[in-house]
Amino acid sequence: MRLRALDARARAFWSNRGELARRWLAALVIGMLLTWLVWQVVSRPTVLTVAVGPPTSERVNFLRTVSERLRQGRKSIRLRVVPVKDSAEAARLLDNDTVQLAVLRSDQPDVADARSFAVLDRRAVLMFAAAAPAKSKGATPSKTHAKGADDGEDGEATVAKGPLSPAHLIGRRIVVASDGFGANRTTVARLLAHSGLAAGSMTLTELPSRDIAPALASHRADVAVVIADPTSRATRALVADIVNALGGAVAVGPPPAPEALVAIHRALALTELPAGVLGGASILPTQKLPTVAITEELVGDSDIEEATGAQLTKALLEVRGRLTALVDTSFEIEAPPLDTLRRFMPHAGVSAHINERSTTFLEKYSDQIWLGLFALGLIGSSIAGLAGRLGLVGGSAPVDPLPGEVERLLGAIAAASSPAEVDAIRRDLRTLAAARLRQAIASGLDASEADHPSQWFPLIDALAASRRDELTAQPEPRQSIRASN
């Protein structure tokens, strides 16, 4: 009987242990799954859509390359390129909140609220015309001829500025090169209007870049205006065609009064072309040439959070080294100046990254810390709730063997057939009571508790003593038989 009771208790113990282990294993797996899901949400990169056009232009390919570099570098910011028709359409999408970013010209008028994240290109404004012939070689140049002219083999000089003066442009037929990114005619008209050149005093026409040189060669135009990056291959090829169309004697110069134009128009920037940057056999320009430029910039809405803007700026500045080494393009990534009044003022995130305003750990990672604490609280409450439903905590207490031992002793007392068996049971009872008393003392169990030895030992011992008295009073079976005989 005792062996069967021990075996039953052992089976119950290991059964409970196995069930508890399975529950904890399930809780651990669910906790790990929740942690993984939270980490996926926290570490997911921010994807910003950027509108840029035209679809087949070099700037679209450049932005796609930037997007690919950000993805390969596992940056926290990613770009999704949305090709559009031109800068005007990109501005409309940005104003309508269809996209978060756009590549716009600095002279783009129809955009209400935009902040700059990076300057991608500087498009210089250059004017080309046939050079007026000078006197024979060795003669004193005319006052209208600029200093630094190059002498040709036939004794004629290339004039640098004379044909490009405001007085010389009156009545001229001027063609403006377009590239599909935006209308250049309006900008050129605004620049020339500063010198008093009204619309009726000249003919201003916008043509595709490929039609500029034929128009000059056929004498349908007198002056060509190009707004382009002077370092790009396409610009140098266009200048070479213009030089050939004008017969080699070419004057190149900026719009009149470039410094004044920059001071008046925030959309313009002052730039200086190095001598010979346009190439050609005659090395244009012959000297450093100050002129105005229109910038192409990656801009976004001012509502973009400062932290997101700082991450975008950091990511763009980090990948520009690889882009310079791997991509053969005139586009670049340059942070907008912070201390200059301009058409697109820098985003707050650009200023935060460049000035390193977040200098302490808490300032830099406060958002991540709060998000992590929130995630830990969510995971902890989920695990606690699940553990409660599974009975891992608060639902099931350890199995107490005392009720089983008491029931066994009571059964043994009732089944005892001799005083010797009762005495053995009472010894087991005293041993159990002593062990339980030691546990009660160690755990500080109150004497009024049901499992305290003082509550059950006297009663069971009294029952055992009563049973012993009953068995002692009964005659032994052999003596009863002899008496009957």
Side-chain angles (χ1 to χ4, degrees), residues 407-436:
E407 184 179 357
R408 181 184 67 81
L409 291 173
L410 291 175
I413 292 171
S417 59
S418 66
E421 291 184 15
V422 175
D423 292 337
I425 293 171
R426 294 182 72 180
R427 286 194 297 271
D428 292 341
L429 177 61
R430 288 192 294 271
T431 302
L432 176 62
R436 297 294 295 188

PDB file of all heavy atoms in Angstrom, residues 407-436:
ATOM      1  N   GLU A 407      -4.720  10.718   4.781  1.00  0.00           N
ATOM      2  CA  GLU A 407      -5.698   9.720   4.319  1.00  0.00           C
ATOM      3  C   GLU A 407      -5.121   8.317   4.382  1.00  0.00           C
ATOM      4  O   GLU A 407      -5.804   7.348   4.759  1.00  0.00           O
ATOM      5  CB  GLU A 407      -6.113  10.067   2.884  1.00  0.00           C
ATOM      6  CG  GLU A 407      -7.195   9.150   2.336  1.00  0.00           C
ATOM      7  CD  GLU A 407      -7.614   9.524   0.941  1.00  0.00           C
ATOM      8  OE1 GLU A 407      -7.100  10.548   0.409  1.00  0.00           O
ATOM      9  OE2 GLU A 407      -8.447   8.810   0.364  1.00  0.00           O
ATOM     10  N   ARG A 408      -3.848   8.167   4.071  1.00  0.00           N
ATOM     11  CA  ARG A 408      -3.222   6.840   4.141  1.00  0.00           C
ATOM     12  C   ARG A 408      -3.178   6.331   5.578  1.00  0.00           C
ATOM     13  O   ARG A 408      -3.465   5.162   5.855  1.00  0.00           O
ATOM     14  CB  ARG A 408      -1.806   6.924   3.567  1.00  0.00           C
ATOM     15  CG  ARG A 408      -1.067   5.592   3.576  1.00  0.00           C
ATOM     16  CD  ARG A 408       0.354   5.791   3.093  1.00  0.00           C
ATOM     17  NE  ARG A 408       1.128   6.597   4.020  1.00  0.00           N
ATOM     18  CZ  ARG A 408       1.686   6.113   5.134  1.00  0.00           C
ATOM     19  NH1 ARG A 408       1.521   4.833   5.494  1.00  0.00           N
ATOM     20  NH2 ARG A 408       2.398   6.904   5.919  1.00  0.00           N
ATOM     21  N   LEU A 409      -2.817   7.237   6.509  1.00  0.00           N
ATOM     22  CA  LEU A 409      -2.736   6.827   7.913  1.00  0.00           C
ATOM     23  C   LEU A 409      -4.112   6.447   8.463  1.00  0.00           C
ATOM     24  O   LEU A 409      -4.254   5.455   9.207  1.00  0.00           O
ATOM     25  CB  LEU A 409      -2.117   7.943   8.739  1.00  0.00           C
ATOM     26  CG  LEU A 409      -0.619   8.226   8.472  1.00  0.00           C
ATOM     27  CD1 LEU A 409      -0.169   9.463   9.225  1.00  0.00           C
ATOM     28  CD2 LEU A 409       0.231   7.029   8.874  1.00  0.00           C
ATOM     29  N   LEU A 410      -5.135   7.231   8.082  1.00  0.00           N
ATOM     30  CA  LEU A 410      -6.485   6.905   8.550  1.00  0.00           C
ATOM     31  C   LEU A 410      -6.949   5.553   8.007  1.00  0.00           C
ATOM     32  O   LEU A 410      -7.564   4.735   8.727  1.00  0.00           O
ATOM     33  CB  LEU A 410      -7.460   8.011   8.135  1.00  0.00           C
ATOM     34  CG  LEU A 410      -7.279   9.368   8.837  1.00  0.00           C
ATOM     35  CD1 LEU A 410      -8.228  10.398   8.250  1.00  0.00           C
ATOM     36  CD2 LEU A 410      -7.515   9.224  10.335  1.00  0.00           C
ATOM     37  N   GLY A 411      -6.636   5.292   6.752  1.00  0.00           N
ATOM     38  CA  GLY A 411      -6.988   3.986   6.184  1.00  0.00           C
ATOM     39  C   GLY A 411      -6.242   2.849   6.853  1.00  0.00           C
ATOM     40  O   GLY A 411      -6.799   1.760   7.085  1.00  0.00           O
ATOM     41  N   ALA A 412      -4.967   3.095   7.166  1.00  0.00           N
ATOM     42  CA  ALA A 412      -4.169   2.050   7.820  1.00  0.00           C
ATOM     43  C   ALA A 412      -4.671   1.781   9.237  1.00  0.00           C
ATOM     44  O   ALA A 412      -4.679   0.623   9.703  1.00  0.00           O
ATOM     45  CB  ALA A 412      -2.706   2.470   7.843  1.00  0.00           C
ATOM     46  N   ILE A 413      -5.106   2.846   9.935  1.00  0.00           N
ATOM     47  CA  ILE A 413      -5.642   2.652  11.294  1.00  0.00           C
ATOM     48  C   ILE A 413      -6.919   1.824  11.247  1.00  0.00           C
ATOM     49  O   ILE A 413      -7.119   0.900  12.068  1.00  0.00           O
ATOM     50  CB  ILE A 413      -5.887   4.029  11.956  1.00  0.00           C
ATOM     51  CG1 ILE A 413      -4.553   4.750  12.226  1.00  0.00           C
ATOM     52  CG2 ILE A 413      -6.684   3.884  13.241  1.00  0.00           C
ATOM     53  CD1 ILE A 413      -4.701   6.172  12.673  1.00  0.00           C
ATOM     54  N   ALA A 414      -7.780   2.133  10.317  1.00  0.00           N
ATOM     55  CA  ALA A 414      -9.041   1.394  10.223  1.00  0.00           C
ATOM     56  C   ALA A 414      -8.815  -0.061   9.838  1.00  0.00           C
ATOM     57  O   ALA A 414      -9.575  -0.955  10.250  1.00  0.00           O
ATOM     58  CB  ALA A 414      -9.958   2.072   9.212  1.00  0.00           C
ATOM     59  N   ALA A 415      -7.777  -0.343   9.060  1.00  0.00           N
ATOM     60  CA  ALA A 415      -7.531  -1.710   8.594  1.00  0.00           C
ATOM     61  C   ALA A 415      -6.623  -2.498   9.517  1.00  0.00           C
ATOM     62  O   ALA A 415      -6.348  -3.684   9.266  1.00  0.00           O
ATOM     63  CB  ALA A 415      -6.909  -1.654   7.192  1.00  0.00           C
ATOM     64  N   ALA A 416      -6.105  -1.857  10.555  1.00  0.00           N
ATOM     65  CA  ALA A 416      -5.181  -2.566  11.455  1.00  0.00           C
ATOM     66  C   ALA A 416      -5.919  -3.711  12.155  1.00  0.00           C
ATOM     67  O   ALA A 416      -7.075  -3.576  12.583  1.00  0.00           O
ATOM     68  CB  ALA A 416      -4.601  -1.593  12.464  1.00  0.00           C
ATOM     69  N   SER A 417      -5.222  -4.830  12.299  1.00  0.00           N
ATOM     70  CA  SER A 417      -5.840  -6.030  12.908  1.00  0.00           C
ATOM     71  C   SER A 417      -5.181  -6.433  14.224  1.00  0.00           C
ATOM     72  O   SER A 417      -5.571  -7.431  14.826  1.00  0.00           O
ATOM     73  CB  SER A 417      -5.752  -7.198  11.925  1.00  0.00           C
ATOM     74  OG  SER A 417      -4.403  -7.465  11.591  1.00  0.00           O
ATOM     75  N   SER A 418      -4.192  -5.656  14.647  1.00  0.00           N
ATOM     76  CA  SER A 418      -3.516  -5.991  15.907  1.00  0.00           C
ATOM     77  C   SER A 418      -2.942  -4.728  16.525  1.00  0.00           C
ATOM     78  O   SER A 418      -2.673  -3.745  15.812  1.00  0.00           O
ATOM     79  CB  SER A 418      -2.400  -7.006  15.657  1.00  0.00           C
ATOM     80  OG  SER A 418      -1.375  -6.422  14.878  1.00  0.00           O
ATOM     81  N   PRO A 419      -2.754  -4.726  17.805  1.00  0.00           N
ATOM     82  CA  PRO A 419      -2.124  -3.561  18.448  1.00  0.00           C
ATOM     83  C   PRO A 419      -0.738  -3.259  17.904  1.00  0.00           C
ATOM     84  O   PRO A 419      -0.309  -2.083  17.862  1.00  0.00           O
ATOM     85  CB  PRO A 419      -2.083  -3.958  19.911  1.00  0.00           C
ATOM     86  CG  PRO A 419      -3.196  -4.934  20.079  1.00  0.00           C
ATOM     87  CD  PRO A 419      -3.222  -5.726  18.808  1.00  0.00           C
ATOM     88  N   ALA A 420       0.007  -4.268  17.457  1.00  0.00           N
ATOM     89  CA  ALA A 420       1.355  -4.030  16.916  1.00  0.00           C
ATOM     90  C   ALA A 420       1.299  -3.195  15.637  1.00  0.00           C
ATOM     91  O   ALA A 420       2.138  -2.298  15.405  1.00  0.00           O
ATOM     92  CB  ALA A 420       2.043  -5.363  16.654  1.00  0.00           C
ATOM     93  N   GLU A 421       0.303  -3.460  14.798  1.00  0.00           N
ATOM     94  CA  GLU A 421       0.171  -2.660  13.567  1.00  0.00           C
ATOM     95  C   GLU A 421      -0.182  -1.210  13.912  1.00  0.00           C
ATOM     96  O   GLU A 421       0.337  -0.277  13.288  1.00  0.00           O
ATOM     97  CB  GLU A 421      -0.912  -3.264  12.672  1.00  0.00           C
ATOM     98  CG  GLU A 421      -0.535  -4.600  12.082  1.00  0.00           C
ATOM     99  CD  GLU A 421      -1.610  -5.108  11.132  1.00  0.00           C
ATOM    100  OE1 GLU A 421      -2.487  -4.293  10.732  1.00  0.00           O
ATOM    101  OE2 GLU A 421      -1.591  -6.277  10.777  1.00  0.00           O
ATOM    102  N   VAL A 422      -1.046  -1.042  14.930  1.00  0.00           N
ATOM    103  CA  VAL A 422      -1.407   0.314  15.324  1.00  0.00           C
ATOM    104  C   VAL A 422      -0.195   1.047  15.874  1.00  0.00           C
ATOM    105  O   VAL A 422       0.014   2.240  15.601  1.00  0.00           O
ATOM    106  CB  VAL A 422      -2.545   0.276  16.363  1.00  0.00           C
ATOM    107  CG1 VAL A 422      -2.844   1.687  16.865  1.00  0.00           C
ATOM    108  CG2 VAL A 422      -3.790  -0.341  15.765  1.00  0.00           C
ATOM    109  N   ASP A 423       0.630   0.324  16.654  1.00  0.00           N
ATOM    110  CA  ASP A 423       1.839   0.973  17.172  1.00  0.00           C
ATOM    111  C   ASP A 423       2.763   1.426  16.039  1.00  0.00           C
ATOM    112  O   ASP A 423       3.377   2.502  16.115  1.00  0.00           O
ATOM    113  CB  ASP A 423       2.572   0.011  18.111  1.00  0.00           C
ATOM    114  CG  ASP A 423       1.783  -0.257  19.394  1.00  0.00           C
ATOM    115  OD1 ASP A 423       0.924   0.617  19.729  1.00  0.00           O
ATOM    116  OD2 ASP A 423       2.035  -1.283  20.036  1.00  0.00           O
ATOM    117  N   ALA A 424       2.887   0.602  14.991  1.00  0.00           N
ATOM    118  CA  ALA A 424       3.724   0.988  13.838  1.00  0.00           C
ATOM    119  C   ALA A 424       3.166   2.228  13.139  1.00  0.00           C
ATOM    120  O   ALA A 424       3.909   3.131  12.713  1.00  0.00           O
ATOM    121  CB  ALA A 424       3.839  -0.182  12.867  1.00  0.00           C
ATOM    122  N   ILE A 425       1.828   2.264  13.029  1.00  0.00           N
ATOM    123  CA  ILE A 425       1.198   3.421  12.379  1.00  0.00           C
ATOM    124  C   ILE A 425       1.433   4.677  13.207  1.00  0.00           C
ATOM    125  O   ILE A 425       1.695   5.755  12.680  1.00  0.00           O
ATOM    126  CB  ILE A 425      -0.305   3.154  12.188  1.00  0.00           C
ATOM    127  CG1 ILE A 425      -0.503   2.017  11.178  1.00  0.00           C
ATOM    128  CG2 ILE A 425      -1.025   4.408  11.722  1.00  0.00           C
ATOM    129  CD1 ILE A 425      -1.945   1.537  11.079  1.00  0.00           C
ATOM    130  N   ARG A 426       1.354   4.543  14.560  1.00  0.00           N
ATOM    131  CA  ARG A 426       1.559   5.705  15.416  1.00  0.00           C
ATOM    132  C   ARG A 426       3.013   6.209  15.333  1.00  0.00           C
ATOM    133  O   ARG A 426       3.261   7.412  15.435  1.00  0.00           O
ATOM    134  CB  ARG A 426       1.201   5.354  16.855  1.00  0.00           C
ATOM    135  CG  ARG A 426      -0.287   5.046  17.021  1.00  0.00           C
ATOM    136  CD  ARG A 426      -0.636   4.757  18.458  1.00  0.00           C
ATOM    137  NE  ARG A 426      -0.599   5.977  19.261  1.00  0.00           N
ATOM    138  CZ  ARG A 426      -0.868   5.995  20.579  1.00  0.00           C
ATOM    139  NH1 ARG A 426      -1.164   4.862  21.208  1.00  0.00           N
ATOM    140  NH2 ARG A 426      -0.821   7.125  21.251  1.00  0.00           N
ATOM    141  N   ARG A 427       3.962   5.287  15.120  1.00  0.00           N
ATOM    142  CA  ARG A 427       5.354   5.727  14.926  1.00  0.00           C
ATOM    143  C   ARG A 427       5.483   6.534  13.625  1.00  0.00           C
ATOM    144  O   ARG A 427       6.166   7.564  13.584  1.00  0.00           O
ATOM    145  CB  ARG A 427       6.287   4.515  14.915  1.00  0.00           C
ATOM    146  CG  ARG A 427       6.508   3.909  16.292  1.00  0.00           C
ATOM    147  CD  ARG A 427       7.692   2.949  16.273  1.00  0.00           C
ATOM    148  NE  ARG A 427       7.464   1.813  15.387  1.00  0.00           N
ATOM    149  CZ  ARG A 427       6.892   0.683  15.771  1.00  0.00           C
ATOM    150  NH1 ARG A 427       6.482   0.527  17.038  1.00  0.00           N
ATOM    151  NH2 ARG A 427       6.738  -0.316  14.932  1.00  0.00           N
ATOM    152  N   ASP A 428       4.857   6.036  12.572  1.00  0.00           N
ATOM    153  CA  ASP A 428       4.879   6.794  11.307  1.00  0.00           C
ATOM    154  C   ASP A 428       4.211   8.154  11.480  1.00  0.00           C
ATOM    155  O   ASP A 428       4.662   9.174  10.917  1.00  0.00           O
ATOM    156  CB  ASP A 428       4.163   6.020  10.198  1.00  0.00           C
ATOM    157  CG  ASP A 428       4.924   4.761   9.783  1.00  0.00           C
ATOM    158  OD1 ASP A 428       6.140   4.692  10.085  1.00  0.00           O
ATOM    159  OD2 ASP A 428       4.317   3.880   9.148  1.00  0.00           O
ATOM    160  N   LEU A 429       3.135   8.178  12.269  1.00  0.00           N
ATOM    161  CA  LEU A 429       2.426   9.436  12.500  1.00  0.00           C
ATOM    162  C   LEU A 429       3.312  10.442  13.235  1.00  0.00           C
ATOM    163  O   LEU A 429       3.342  11.627  12.891  1.00  0.00           O
ATOM    164  CB  LEU A 429       1.149   9.147  13.294  1.00  0.00           C
ATOM    165  CG  LEU A 429       0.320  10.374  13.690  1.00  0.00           C
ATOM    166  CD1 LEU A 429      -0.151  11.132  12.440  1.00  0.00           C
ATOM    167  CD2 LEU A 429      -0.869   9.955  14.555  1.00  0.00           C
ATOM    168  N   ARG A 430       4.044   9.947  14.260  1.00  0.00           N
ATOM    169  CA  ARG A 430       4.925  10.855  14.992  1.00  0.00           C
ATOM    170  C   ARG A 430       6.058  11.375  14.096  1.00  0.00           C
ATOM    171  O   ARG A 430       6.463  12.541  14.191  1.00  0.00           O
ATOM    172  CB  ARG A 430       5.487  10.151  16.225  1.00  0.00           C
ATOM    173  CG  ARG A 430       4.445   9.934  17.327  1.00  0.00           C
ATOM    174  CD  ARG A 430       5.115   9.500  18.613  1.00  0.00           C
ATOM    175  NE  ARG A 430       5.731   8.193  18.481  1.00  0.00           N
ATOM    176  CZ  ARG A 430       5.093   7.037  18.722  1.00  0.00           C
ATOM    177  NH1 ARG A 430       3.813   7.053  19.104  1.00  0.00           N
ATOM    178  NH2 ARG A 430       5.711   5.894  18.598  1.00  0.00           N
ATOM    179  N   THR A 431       6.571  10.476  13.246  1.00  0.00           N
ATOM    180  CA  THR A 431       7.633  10.918  12.320  1.00  0.00           C
ATOM    181  C   THR A 431       7.121  12.011  11.376  1.00  0.00           C
ATOM    182  O   THR A 431       7.790  13.026  11.130  1.00  0.00           O
ATOM    183  CB  THR A 431       8.146   9.723  11.516  1.00  0.00           C
ATOM    184  OG1 THR A 431       8.631   8.723  12.400  1.00  0.00           O
ATOM    185  CG2 THR A 431       9.244  10.159  10.556  1.00  0.00           C
ATOM    186  N   LEU A 432       5.908  11.796  10.823  1.00  0.00           N
ATOM    187  CA  LEU A 432       5.321  12.790   9.926  1.00  0.00           C
ATOM    188  C   LEU A 432       5.063  14.096  10.662  1.00  0.00           C
ATOM    189  O   LEU A 432       5.337  15.195  10.137  1.00  0.00           O
ATOM    190  CB  LEU A 432       4.018  12.246   9.338  1.00  0.00           C
ATOM    191  CG  LEU A 432       3.217  13.210   8.433  1.00  0.00           C
ATOM    192  CD1 LEU A 432       4.047  13.593   7.214  1.00  0.00           C
ATOM    193  CD2 LEU A 432       1.899  12.556   8.003  1.00  0.00           C
ATOM    194  N   ALA A 433       4.555  14.006  11.907  1.00  0.00           N
ATOM    195  CA  ALA A 433       4.264  15.214  12.669  1.00  0.00           C
ATOM    196  C   ALA A 433       5.535  16.004  12.972  1.00  0.00           C
ATOM    197  O   ALA A 433       5.553  17.236  12.916  1.00  0.00           O
ATOM    198  CB  ALA A 433       3.535  14.844  13.960  1.00  0.00           C
ATOM    199  N   ALA A 434       6.633  15.264  13.305  1.00  0.00           N
ATOM    200  CA  ALA A 434       7.896  15.950  13.598  1.00  0.00           C
ATOM    201  C   ALA A 434       8.432  16.684  12.360  1.00  0.00           C
ATOM    202  O   ALA A 434       8.904  17.830  12.439  1.00  0.00           O
ATOM    203  CB  ALA A 434       8.916  14.945  14.115  1.00  0.00           C
ATOM    204  N   ALA A 435       8.340  16.008  11.192  1.00  0.00           N
ATOM    205  CA  ALA A 435       8.821  16.641   9.952  1.00  0.00           C
ATOM    206  C   ALA A 435       7.999  17.877   9.611  1.00  0.00           C
ATOM    207  O   ALA A 435       8.532  18.933   9.246  1.00  0.00           O
ATOM    208  CB  ALA A 435       8.787  15.634   8.806  1.00  0.00           C
ATOM    209  N   ARG A 436       6.671  17.757   9.768  1.00  0.00           N
ATOM    210  CA  ARG A 436       5.817  18.896   9.454  1.00  0.00           C
ATOM    211  C   ARG A 436       6.003  20.043  10.450  1.00  0.00           C
ATOM    212  O   ARG A 436       5.893  21.216  10.083  1.00  0.00           O
ATOM    213  CB  ARG A 436       4.352  18.456   9.450  1.00  0.00           C
ATOM    214  CG  ARG A 436       4.004  17.412   8.391  1.00  0.00           C
ATOM    215  CD  ARG A 436       4.147  17.958   6.991  1.00  0.00           C
ATOM    216  NE  ARG A 436       3.196  19.017   6.741  1.00  0.00           N
ATOM    217  CZ  ARG A 436       2.974  19.586   5.551  1.00  0.00           C
ATOM    218  NH1 ARG A 436       3.703  19.180   4.500  1.00  0.00           N
ATOM    219  NH2 ARG A 436       2.085  20.532   5.405  1.00  0.00           N
TER     220      ARG A 436
END
